[in-house]
Amino acid sequence: MTRFLVIAVLLALISYLGYDTVFGKNGYLQSTRTEKNLEIVQARKKKLEKENQSLKDEISELSRGNQVTEALAREDLGLIKSNEQFFRVIDKETSSKRKEK
């Protein structure tokens, strides 16, 4: 009788540990689900990082865009602000090339 009881307790213990290993809170199935979720989250994070960098680049382009446009207008059209003085410096090489044309 005691032998049967010991075997029954051991079988119950092994069954419980086996069940817990596979289906428990930190078991194999939960671990597999967590790994899949981690991959999904990492892929989403990578996508958001790319999108964030794209937006940063766009902001940089837009902020530099005004500066580039202003520089081109100043050079090509000779535009100046009301509180600025404009000095045009002409290289000797540039002026001699213009005279030759």
Side-chain angles (χ1 to χ4, degrees):
M1 180 76 177
T2 56
R3 188 174 191 178
F4 175 74
L5 185 62
V6 170
I7 291 174
V9 169
L10 287 175
L11 281 175
L13 184 63
I14 290 172
S15 297
Y16 172 74
L17 291 175
Y19 177 83
D20 192 45
T21 301
V22 175
F23 301 106
K25 181 179 179 182
N26 295 322
Y28 176 75
L29 294 177
Q30 181 65 32
S31 175
T32 305
R33 279 188 228 119
T34 303
E35 286 176 6
K36 288 179 183 177
N37 288 340
L38 179 63
E39 289 174 5
I40 292 169
V41 168
Q42 285 176 339
R44 185 168 182 237
K45 178 186 172 201
K46 186 178 271 189
K47 179 182 174 186
L48 290 173
E49 285 175 345
K50 285 181 182 179
E51 186 178 336
N52 193 21
Q53 186 60 43
S54 173
L55 290 172
K56 285 181 182 179
D57 292 343
E58 187 176 342
I59 288 170
S60 176
E61 287 286 326
L62 291 172
S63 67
R64 277 192 290 127
N66 290 339
Q67 294 170 353
V68 171
T69 304
E70 183 179 347
L72 288 173
R74 288 171 179 266
E75 286 178 19
D76 294 341
L77 303 175
L79 298 177
I80 60 170
K81 292 181 181 178
S82 60
N83 59 350
E84 293 180 329
Q85 292 181 356
F86 178 73
F87 297 97
R88 186 172 189 178
V89 179
I90 300 175
D91 292 340
K92 290 182 181 181
E93 294 176 12
T94 307
S95 67
S96 64
K97 286 181 183 177
R98 286 186 181 169
K99 289 180 183 177
E100 291 174 4
K101 289 182 181 182

